[in-house]
Amino acid sequence: MAPHPFKILSIEETRLARDVILSLHPDVVVDFREIFLNEPNKELMKKYLEAEHTAQPGQSAHSKRPPRLAKCMYDVIGSDKVPQYHESLVDVDTSKRVKHEVVGKDQQASLTLWEFEHLVQACNESEEFQQAIKEFHLPEGFELVIEPWPYGGRDDTTETTRYFQGLCFGQDTRSGNPDSNFYAYPLPIIPVMDAHTKKICRVDRLATGGKGDSLAGKTHSPRVLEHCQPAEYVPELVEGGTRKDMKPINITQPEGTSFKVSDDSFVEWQKWSFRVSFNPREGAVLHDVRYEGRSIIYRLSISEMSVPYADARAPFHRKQAFDFGDGGAGNCANNLSLGCDCLGVIKYFDAVIVGSDGEPKEHPNVICLHEQDNGIGWKHTNWRSGRAVVTRMRELVVQFIITLANYEYVFAYKLDTAGGITLEVRATGIVSTVNIDPGKTSEYGNVVSGGVLAQNHQHIFAARLDPAIDGHNNTLLYEESHTAPWDKETNPNGNFYEVRKTVVNRSQGLDAAPEHNRTFKIINPSRQNKHSGNPVGYKFQPPATQKLLAAPGSLQYQRALFAQHHVWATKYREDELYAAGRYTLQSHVERGGVHDMAARKDDITNEDLVVWSVFGLTHNPRVEDWPVMPSEIFQLHFKPSDFFERNPAIDVPSSRNQASVLANECCEGGQKL
Amino acid sequence: MAPHPFKILSIEETRLARDVILSLHPDVVVDFREIFLNEPNKELMKKYLEAEHTAQPGQSAHSKRPPRLAKCMYDVIGSDKVPQYHESLVDVDTSKRVKHEVVGKDQQASLTLWEFEHLVQACNESEEFQQAIKEFHLPEGFELVIEPWPYGGRDDTTETTRYFQGLCFGQDTRSGNPDSNFYAYPLPIIPVMDAHTKKICRVDRLATGGKGDSLAGKTHSPRVLEHCQPAEYVPELVEGGTRKDMKPINITQPEGTSFKVSDDSFVEWQKWSFRVSFNPREGAVLHDVRYEGRSIIYRLSISEMSVPYADARAPFHRKQAFDFGDGGAGNCANNLSLGCDCLGVIKYFDAVIVGSDGEPKEHPNVICLHEQDNGIGWKHTNWRSGRAVVTRMRELVVQFIITLANYEYVFAYKLDTAGGITLEVRATGIVSTVNIDPGKTSEYGNVVSGGVLAQNHQHIFAARLDPAIDGHNNTLLYEESHTAPWDKETNPNGNFYEVRKTVVNRSQGLDAAPEHNRTFKIINPSRQNKHSGNPVGYKFQPPATQKLLAAPGSLQYQRALFAQHHVWATKYREDELYAAGRYTLQSHVERGGVHDMAARKDDITNEDLVVWSVFGLTHNPRVEDWPVMPSEIFQLHFKPSDFFERNPAIDVPSSRNQASVLANECCEGGQKL
């Protein structure tokens, strides 16, 4: 039985693709970066899905299966020792390469974690860096920690050298605990490595001044860590110990789960069905999301995020991570842990990753799936009879978590019993810190601990929604509510407000307008709701979060043009998955991202369109964000809008939960009330 | 032991107050409306709390206890039979009346549920109404249901008659089920009652037209219910039955709760403490909210909500409920039910209500209290060691639910382990419906089922926050982030953004500005955070929800002036608890609400100030909101901002939950994966 077209490549398929590539590049060194599924061509896939969902017993959609393709990304290093970056597609059914591209020097491949290791090695071997670090007096028992980072945007647009940089910290090793928090001891120095030569080519010095000091002022003393203070988060080191009075909350499903997973990828739950996949760049992706067999979404993903920092002092203008394009969210995914990352009855999914030799291995527990209760779903009490009918809102959660050096992000797709889909992002982890002189404060951030400046920054996310509302030909419109003018005929009492609909005819960027209750609807203009007569659809209100603040023309602005609008509507094209374009590492301008897609001004009415939602957080850190930041939670809600013929949760049982107890009757050994 | 000053009146205290009032009004009929605690004078209470929180063992704050006052609201009906509305304060320690006020005829007392019963009776006795209803042909087995409503705003500002109106529906009685959903069969007729004479004084006829029909057109036929369809929600009647495959999720606390409740009102949980009370108008209120003994909030409440409807046809401009001021959220509170309204280990609180004879009785289970898990609280993985530390976010939830005819609202105060306080509102229940002719659609709403027009409307809420950030003298400011201009000296790379602070010097209304990331901070200007040097504070971002849409000068606009701004800042005064003023029933303009309070332009820097947050929902109904609407959820987050010296949740244990299991290992009798 051949794998389903949306299923990730198996270890065997991955290895086969690797072998094909190696056989095509003899006599050179091939350093692999990624091998993963190149998702099937959408036109072919539409036919496959149609056959799959209308198949009679005994029939199969298999005859319509699109070719199974592996995307292979690798450096080829010939006798000149200069690595050349290649991308190939390998058909794993036929063991043939079907596409091959040598990427120009002006585009940088995404980084791999082993490139980071080269940086640490290069620092150890660099005399310039070793001399520089000696200028600092590290306290007794402290060791140097180098945290590799992408270089950020290129100031010089003609520059093609591949760079990495390192943020430097001291770590207190006196406890012998390798998890002592080094971010509390930032050193004002950044080594820069040429990734080709693997040599440190420059050491940048950082200012440590505050308000009133000049931008370039390197004001720190050699004893730059002496005014820093411990800020531990691992329980055995945390100051004051951990609290003892938090009693466990247990979540159990004694009759089992309400979901069913088959083929390691196909999920069925409460009239919903979808496929889940995982790739190195985007992490978990949902495909072919349906409710009672009716199509809603073809593909749902988190496409990109950018994190620009606002410190005006060079080189901090380059501090701008693109955590999906630069290094890959999937690559940075945590191996999730039972009873920690989610509670209850959990199903985990594994992925496959490759090393630089292309050898695949399992990346275990990268996605977790579970059901959860989210409070009251709907309730009504008939005051005449006194009878209350109350149902719970049940959610199915597909979650993955990524760690990017100091920060972590928790991403979740939540499907619910009312036909809603929520995209949730939690930002947590440790804020990025730099050293600041004793007693000073800064307009670039907040002093969260002695010597530690947490710089102001933004997190801007882009979600990509490829809708298929009862089919692929959809239209986007937005609906606004406006005060109507007084009018004797139409508004004699002044209470009428007008609901205005505007169809988005052409691909473009659009903004949130909460003052008009602007609500975007993706409709199928060919299908009407039988009650309302409106076209069937799904709606969302783009969160009106602040857009990117960097000035027009700045590197940060140019690199993240996607962050200039809350919503983008584009016409579907193959291989257009990434909001900030395919290559973000060391970019100086967004190329091939949504800004370019929208600029085509394609007709997108009754078409195969894609909708992008951009939202974020301007994060001017609080002291409470230190040393590990409490989750900041964002939610984007897609809700049916005349898609169904009634509340789809109206048939959720209103049964009383038998495990709930009164507080004064619970508690073996616990607190009696 | 005397009751704590924030504790609600006991049954005994309530009865004592009643008896005092009756003794002072001999030879007349006294019809009681409410008797409840008149909260202690704040100046006295500040002294009491200071003594309470600094008391040495053996000492008590009791000597500083403010007088215990009962607010008594009642009609006095003398020989002229004309009810006169009185409000009195009775000192229940001394059994003396200490204040007495006869409220003028231009203000209407809040309604009581027994006034509603008079309406049904009056309809039965009204020949005009009985004649009118006979014009309609009710299908076989249908009965008339009259749903009493407040009258809404007065068109005539000099009018002092107290009115009630009734919305009329047919109920299908053929199933014999008293909970068959009558809102699916709206009748186009509204009887209006004079509350003094208890007679129907007018019968309003409703238009049933659609787009293109004139406002006044009464286009319906006598067989007005024949194109309506059943829309049942009680499980035994719901079409297709309830789903069978939803397995239970159980939430248990085998070691007991982490909270402790004493004195029926004092709650301690995870370094938090507060008092909870309940009153007929606002429902649950939190008092004296502290963290590790440090004061944060003096009083937190939901103050008001207004629900204006946008149908231009008279008399729908009067359709505008003030659910707190008109009838009292506390009066409409549900008796909550174990395992339905919340899961897990639950503590309930009771309240006291009075009948028209003033006789008090218990109003059981009006508030529920429980702990819940809210996902990942914070997480960090040290990529060098591979060690992940992950903690859960724990919340303590104080919840109450109200039913207002067709609608319900679930209100919750949630305190969390990261020092945050979230106010959550869920709107659910049944949308308000009117009849629409077969085949028509309307610009006033959406046809959600045959013959049923769900009218467009708004829900606008006002929360009242009386802060006490490390004491009562606080200042409000807002902080915005702005793109900085390019400048060689200060912004050479264009990435700097400026954080601007603006102090709110005078009482006023202010708005959300998400485009500038406008964040309000309530600070104590006399206390500095030791790390950042900033004043200690709490912050919130007002949700930028749409404001009231009715045209300036309209009844709806005038009655809800509070809905003109997202945030109001006022100086504290005794007895200023209500955003839309003390008397909303049948009002024609907001009087004594936040608009008036703000107009005083009081100096509010380093003062005892009050902050009001106004937020809402423009609800243009979907078919999916029918027959019972899935909860729409709003959250308002108050978060510490340099109030603490680190993340207050940093000491939450990261213990693995032992009850969590793999999906393929769970499931006795359940679904194996």
Side-chain angles (χ1 to χ4, degrees), chain B residues 615-635:
Chain B
F615 54 98
L617 161 68
T618 297
H619 188 189
N620 304 335
R622 313 171 289 165
V623 172
E624 288 84 356
D625 292 329
W626 185 252
V628 185
M629 167 186 169
S631 291
E632 284 278 342
I633 306 176
F634 301 84
Q635 292 186 331

PDB file of all heavy atoms in Angstrom, chain B residues 615-635:
ATOM      1  N   PHE B 615     -15.954  47.132  26.729  1.00  0.00           N
ATOM      2  CA  PHE B 615     -15.631  46.268  25.588  1.00  0.00           C
ATOM      3  C   PHE B 615     -16.895  45.539  25.173  1.00  0.00           C
ATOM      4  O   PHE B 615     -17.864  45.469  25.930  1.00  0.00           O
ATOM      5  CB  PHE B 615     -14.527  45.264  25.941  1.00  0.00           C
ATOM      6  CG  PHE B 615     -14.816  44.437  27.155  1.00  0.00           C
ATOM      7  CD1 PHE B 615     -15.331  43.152  27.042  1.00  0.00           C
ATOM      8  CD2 PHE B 615     -14.590  44.946  28.416  1.00  0.00           C
ATOM      9  CE1 PHE B 615     -15.612  42.391  28.167  1.00  0.00           C
ATOM     10  CE2 PHE B 615     -14.879  44.193  29.555  1.00  0.00           C
ATOM     11  CZ  PHE B 615     -15.387  42.917  29.427  1.00  0.00           C
ATOM     12  N   GLY B 616     -16.883  44.986  23.980  1.00  0.00           N
ATOM     13  CA  GLY B 616     -18.126  44.363  23.543  1.00  0.00           C
ATOM     14  C   GLY B 616     -18.016  43.627  22.244  1.00  0.00           C
ATOM     15  O   GLY B 616     -16.936  43.333  21.747  1.00  0.00           O
ATOM     16  N   LEU B 617     -19.171  43.370  21.723  1.00  0.00           N
ATOM     17  CA  LEU B 617     -19.321  42.505  20.566  1.00  0.00           C
ATOM     18  C   LEU B 617     -20.421  43.089  19.699  1.00  0.00           C
ATOM     19  O   LEU B 617     -21.529  43.322  20.165  1.00  0.00           O
ATOM     20  CB  LEU B 617     -19.744  41.120  21.081  1.00  0.00           C
ATOM     21  CG  LEU B 617     -20.402  40.124  20.125  1.00  0.00           C
ATOM     22  CD1 LEU B 617     -19.413  39.660  19.082  1.00  0.00           C
ATOM     23  CD2 LEU B 617     -20.913  38.915  20.910  1.00  0.00           C
ATOM     24  N   THR B 618     -20.103  43.357  18.441  1.00  0.00           N
ATOM     25  CA  THR B 618     -21.151  43.658  17.478  1.00  0.00           C
ATOM     26  C   THR B 618     -21.628  42.321  16.959  1.00  0.00           C
ATOM     27  O   THR B 618     -20.848  41.577  16.351  1.00  0.00           O
ATOM     28  CB  THR B 618     -20.604  44.530  16.338  1.00  0.00           C
ATOM     29  OG1 THR B 618     -20.178  45.775  16.899  1.00  0.00           O
ATOM     30  CG2 THR B 618     -21.667  44.787  15.279  1.00  0.00           C
ATOM     31  N   HIS B 619     -22.862  41.988  17.246  1.00  0.00           N
ATOM     32  CA  HIS B 619     -23.331  40.637  16.973  1.00  0.00           C
ATOM     33  C   HIS B 619     -24.341  40.649  15.828  1.00  0.00           C
ATOM     34  O   HIS B 619     -25.519  40.893  16.036  1.00  0.00           O
ATOM     35  CB  HIS B 619     -23.935  40.035  18.245  1.00  0.00           C
ATOM     36  CG  HIS B 619     -24.272  38.582  18.092  1.00  0.00           C
ATOM     37  ND1 HIS B 619     -24.972  37.877  19.016  1.00  0.00           N
ATOM     38  CD2 HIS B 619     -23.983  37.693  17.109  1.00  0.00           C
ATOM     39  CE1 HIS B 619     -25.114  36.621  18.612  1.00  0.00           C
ATOM     40  NE2 HIS B 619     -24.537  36.490  17.449  1.00  0.00           N
ATOM     41  N   ASN B 620     -23.833  40.401  14.652  1.00  0.00           N
ATOM     42  CA  ASN B 620     -24.678  40.204  13.483  1.00  0.00           C
ATOM     43  C   ASN B 620     -24.809  38.688  13.340  1.00  0.00           C
ATOM     44  O   ASN B 620     -23.880  38.018  12.910  1.00  0.00           O
ATOM     45  CB  ASN B 620     -24.023  40.841  12.258  1.00  0.00           C
ATOM     46  CG  ASN B 620     -23.722  42.321  12.487  1.00  0.00           C
ATOM     47  OD1 ASN B 620     -24.375  42.971  13.308  1.00  0.00           O
ATOM     48  ND2 ASN B 620     -22.741  42.850  11.800  1.00  0.00           N
ATOM     49  N   PRO B 621     -25.950  38.134  13.760  1.00  0.00           N
ATOM     50  CA  PRO B 621     -26.013  36.683  13.983  1.00  0.00           C
ATOM     51  C   PRO B 621     -25.715  35.840  12.742  1.00  0.00           C
ATOM     52  O   PRO B 621     -26.039  36.215  11.609  1.00  0.00           O
ATOM     53  CB  PRO B 621     -27.456  36.467  14.457  1.00  0.00           C
ATOM     54  CG  PRO B 621     -27.854  37.762  15.076  1.00  0.00           C
ATOM     55  CD  PRO B 621     -27.183  38.804  14.203  1.00  0.00           C
ATOM     56  N   ARG B 622     -25.099  34.708  13.015  1.00  0.00           N
ATOM     57  CA  ARG B 622     -24.861  33.671  12.012  1.00  0.00           C
ATOM     58  C   ARG B 622     -25.966  32.624  12.158  1.00  0.00           C
ATOM     59  O   ARG B 622     -26.563  32.488  13.233  1.00  0.00           O
ATOM     60  CB  ARG B 622     -23.556  32.910  12.297  1.00  0.00           C
ATOM     61  CG  ARG B 622     -22.363  33.732  12.614  1.00  0.00           C
ATOM     62  CD  ARG B 622     -21.217  32.821  13.093  1.00  0.00           C
ATOM     63  NE  ARG B 622     -21.458  32.251  14.416  1.00  0.00           N
ATOM     64  CZ  ARG B 622     -20.794  31.237  14.933  1.00  0.00           C
ATOM     65  NH1 ARG B 622     -19.831  30.638  14.241  1.00  0.00           N
ATOM     66  NH2 ARG B 622     -21.059  30.798  16.150  1.00  0.00           N
ATOM     67  N   VAL B 623     -26.155  31.828  11.160  1.00  0.00           N
ATOM     68  CA  VAL B 623     -27.055  30.682  11.295  1.00  0.00           C
ATOM     69  C   VAL B 623     -26.553  29.767  12.414  1.00  0.00           C
ATOM     70  O   VAL B 623     -27.348  29.176  13.163  1.00  0.00           O
ATOM     71  CB  VAL B 623     -27.181  29.935   9.950  1.00  0.00           C
ATOM     72  CG1 VAL B 623     -27.946  28.636  10.126  1.00  0.00           C
ATOM     73  CG2 VAL B 623     -27.866  30.825   8.910  1.00  0.00           C
ATOM     74  N   GLU B 624     -25.223  29.702  12.586  1.00  0.00           N
ATOM     75  CA  GLU B 624     -24.644  28.831  13.610  1.00  0.00           C
ATOM     76  C   GLU B 624     -24.947  29.312  15.035  1.00  0.00           C
ATOM     77  O   GLU B 624     -24.648  28.606  16.003  1.00  0.00           O
ATOM     78  CB  GLU B 624     -23.123  28.724  13.433  1.00  0.00           C
ATOM     79  CG  GLU B 624     -22.691  27.900  12.234  1.00  0.00           C
ATOM     80  CD  GLU B 624     -22.673  28.680  10.924  1.00  0.00           C
ATOM     81  OE1 GLU B 624     -23.080  29.861  10.923  1.00  0.00           O
ATOM     82  OE2 GLU B 624     -22.250  28.110   9.905  1.00  0.00           O
ATOM     83  N   ASP B 625     -25.476  30.508  15.179  1.00  0.00           N
ATOM     84  CA  ASP B 625     -25.866  30.984  16.514  1.00  0.00           C
ATOM     85  C   ASP B 625     -27.243  30.460  16.910  1.00  0.00           C
ATOM     86  O   ASP B 625     -27.759  30.815  17.974  1.00  0.00           O
ATOM     87  CB  ASP B 625     -25.856  32.516  16.550  1.00  0.00           C
ATOM     88  CG  ASP B 625     -24.450  33.080  16.418  1.00  0.00           C
ATOM     89  OD1 ASP B 625     -23.504  32.412  16.862  1.00  0.00           O
ATOM     90  OD2 ASP B 625     -24.292  34.181  15.861  1.00  0.00           O
ATOM     91  N   TRP B 626     -27.827  29.643  16.083  1.00  0.00           N
ATOM     92  CA  TRP B 626     -29.194  29.165  16.267  1.00  0.00           C
ATOM     93  C   TRP B 626     -29.207  27.653  16.419  1.00  0.00           C
ATOM     94  O   TRP B 626     -28.467  26.991  15.713  1.00  0.00           O
ATOM     95  CB  TRP B 626     -30.026  29.592  15.047  1.00  0.00           C
ATOM     96  CG  TRP B 626     -31.485  29.272  15.157  1.00  0.00           C
ATOM     97  CD1 TRP B 626     -32.156  28.295  14.465  1.00  0.00           C
ATOM     98  CD2 TRP B 626     -32.452  29.916  15.978  1.00  0.00           C
ATOM     99  NE1 TRP B 626     -33.478  28.309  14.823  1.00  0.00           N
ATOM    100  CE2 TRP B 626     -33.689  29.290  15.750  1.00  0.00           C
ATOM    101  CE3 TRP B 626     -32.385  30.961  16.902  1.00  0.00           C
ATOM    102  CZ2 TRP B 626     -34.845  29.678  16.415  1.00  0.00           C
ATOM    103  CZ3 TRP B 626     -33.529  31.351  17.550  1.00  0.00           C
ATOM    104  CH2 TRP B 626     -34.747  30.716  17.305  1.00  0.00           C
ATOM    105  N   PRO B 627     -30.023  27.077  17.296  1.00  0.00           N
ATOM    106  CA  PRO B 627     -30.951  27.750  18.206  1.00  0.00           C
ATOM    107  C   PRO B 627     -30.299  28.230  19.516  1.00  0.00           C
ATOM    108  O   PRO B 627     -30.859  29.100  20.154  1.00  0.00           O
ATOM    109  CB  PRO B 627     -31.988  26.672  18.512  1.00  0.00           C
ATOM    110  CG  PRO B 627     -31.256  25.386  18.353  1.00  0.00           C
ATOM    111  CD  PRO B 627     -30.227  25.611  17.281  1.00  0.00           C
ATOM    112  N   VAL B 628     -29.199  27.643  19.939  1.00  0.00           N
ATOM    113  CA  VAL B 628     -28.485  28.223  21.075  1.00  0.00           C
ATOM    114  C   VAL B 628     -27.097  28.553  20.576  1.00  0.00           C
ATOM    115  O   VAL B 628     -26.468  27.777  19.859  1.00  0.00           O
ATOM    116  CB  VAL B 628     -28.419  27.271  22.287  1.00  0.00           C
ATOM    117  CG1 VAL B 628     -27.771  27.977  23.471  1.00  0.00           C
ATOM    118  CG2 VAL B 628     -29.808  26.782  22.672  1.00  0.00           C
ATOM    119  N   MET B 629     -26.623  29.704  20.947  1.00  0.00           N
ATOM    120  CA  MET B 629     -25.407  30.280  20.398  1.00  0.00           C
ATOM    121  C   MET B 629     -24.177  29.697  21.081  1.00  0.00           C
ATOM    122  O   MET B 629     -24.120  29.658  22.322  1.00  0.00           O
ATOM    123  CB  MET B 629     -25.536  31.780  20.667  1.00  0.00           C
ATOM    124  CG  MET B 629     -24.331  32.605  20.485  1.00  0.00           C
ATOM    125  SD  MET B 629     -24.765  34.307  21.071  1.00  0.00           S
ATOM    126  CE  MET B 629     -23.113  34.996  21.065  1.00  0.00           C
ATOM    127  N   PRO B 630     -23.190  29.249  20.305  1.00  0.00           N
ATOM    128  CA  PRO B 630     -21.935  28.827  20.941  1.00  0.00           C
ATOM    129  C   PRO B 630     -21.309  30.029  21.666  1.00  0.00           C
ATOM    130  O   PRO B 630     -21.406  31.157  21.173  1.00  0.00           O
ATOM    131  CB  PRO B 630     -21.039  28.413  19.762  1.00  0.00           C
ATOM    132  CG  PRO B 630     -21.942  28.266  18.580  1.00  0.00           C
ATOM    133  CD  PRO B 630     -23.125  29.160  18.832  1.00  0.00           C
ATOM    134  N   SER B 631     -20.709  29.792  22.803  1.00  0.00           N
ATOM    135  CA  SER B 631     -20.123  30.887  23.584  1.00  0.00           C
ATOM    136  C   SER B 631     -19.196  31.759  22.743  1.00  0.00           C
ATOM    137  O   SER B 631     -18.299  31.263  22.076  1.00  0.00           O
ATOM    138  CB  SER B 631     -19.278  30.326  24.736  1.00  0.00           C
ATOM    139  OG  SER B 631     -20.081  29.718  25.700  1.00  0.00           O
ATOM    140  N   GLU B 632     -19.433  33.053  22.799  1.00  0.00           N
ATOM    141  CA  GLU B 632     -18.446  34.024  22.312  1.00  0.00           C
ATOM    142  C   GLU B 632     -17.652  34.458  23.531  1.00  0.00           C
ATOM    143  O   GLU B 632     -18.240  34.860  24.537  1.00  0.00           O
ATOM    144  CB  GLU B 632     -19.139  35.256  21.717  1.00  0.00           C
ATOM    145  CG  GLU B 632     -19.740  35.046  20.362  1.00  0.00           C
ATOM    146  CD  GLU B 632     -18.718  35.157  19.226  1.00  0.00           C
ATOM    147  OE1 GLU B 632     -17.626  35.714  19.438  1.00  0.00           O
ATOM    148  OE2 GLU B 632     -19.027  34.672  18.130  1.00  0.00           O
ATOM    149  N   ILE B 633     -16.342  34.392  23.448  1.00  0.00           N
ATOM    150  CA  ILE B 633     -15.510  34.597  24.629  1.00  0.00           C
ATOM    151  C   ILE B 633     -14.715  35.903  24.519  1.00  0.00           C
ATOM    152  O   ILE B 633     -14.084  36.160  23.504  1.00  0.00           O
ATOM    153  CB  ILE B 633     -14.533  33.417  24.813  1.00  0.00           C
ATOM    154  CG1 ILE B 633     -15.302  32.092  24.847  1.00  0.00           C
ATOM    155  CG2 ILE B 633     -13.677  33.604  26.056  1.00  0.00           C
ATOM    156  CD1 ILE B 633     -14.426  30.855  24.931  1.00  0.00           C
ATOM    157  N   PHE B 634     -14.766  36.699  25.561  1.00  0.00           N
ATOM    158  CA  PHE B 634     -13.952  37.928  25.660  1.00  0.00           C
ATOM    159  C   PHE B 634     -13.111  37.848  26.886  1.00  0.00           C
ATOM    160  O   PHE B 634     -13.597  37.412  27.926  1.00  0.00           O
ATOM    161  CB  PHE B 634     -14.828  39.166  25.832  1.00  0.00           C
ATOM    162  CG  PHE B 634     -15.728  39.291  24.701  1.00  0.00           C
ATOM    163  CD1 PHE B 634     -16.909  38.585  24.704  1.00  0.00           C
ATOM    164  CD2 PHE B 634     -15.352  39.994  23.596  1.00  0.00           C
ATOM    165  CE1 PHE B 634     -17.726  38.616  23.617  1.00  0.00           C
ATOM    166  CE2 PHE B 634     -16.170  40.022  22.502  1.00  0.00           C
ATOM    167  CZ  PHE B 634     -17.357  39.337  22.505  1.00  0.00           C
ATOM    168  N   GLN B 635     -11.907  38.348  26.778  1.00  0.00           N
ATOM    169  CA  GLN B 635     -11.041  38.361  27.955  1.00  0.00           C
ATOM    170  C   GLN B 635     -10.357  39.712  28.073  1.00  0.00           C
ATOM    171  O   GLN B 635      -9.906  40.283  27.083  1.00  0.00           O
ATOM    172  CB  GLN B 635      -9.994  37.249  27.859  1.00  0.00           C
ATOM    173  CG  GLN B 635     -10.616  35.862  27.968  1.00  0.00           C
ATOM    174  CD  GLN B 635      -9.577  34.771  28.018  1.00  0.00           C
ATOM    175  OE1 GLN B 635      -8.497  34.911  27.472  1.00  0.00           O
ATOM    176  NE2 GLN B 635      -9.921  33.673  28.672  1.00  0.00           N
TER     177      GLN B 635
END
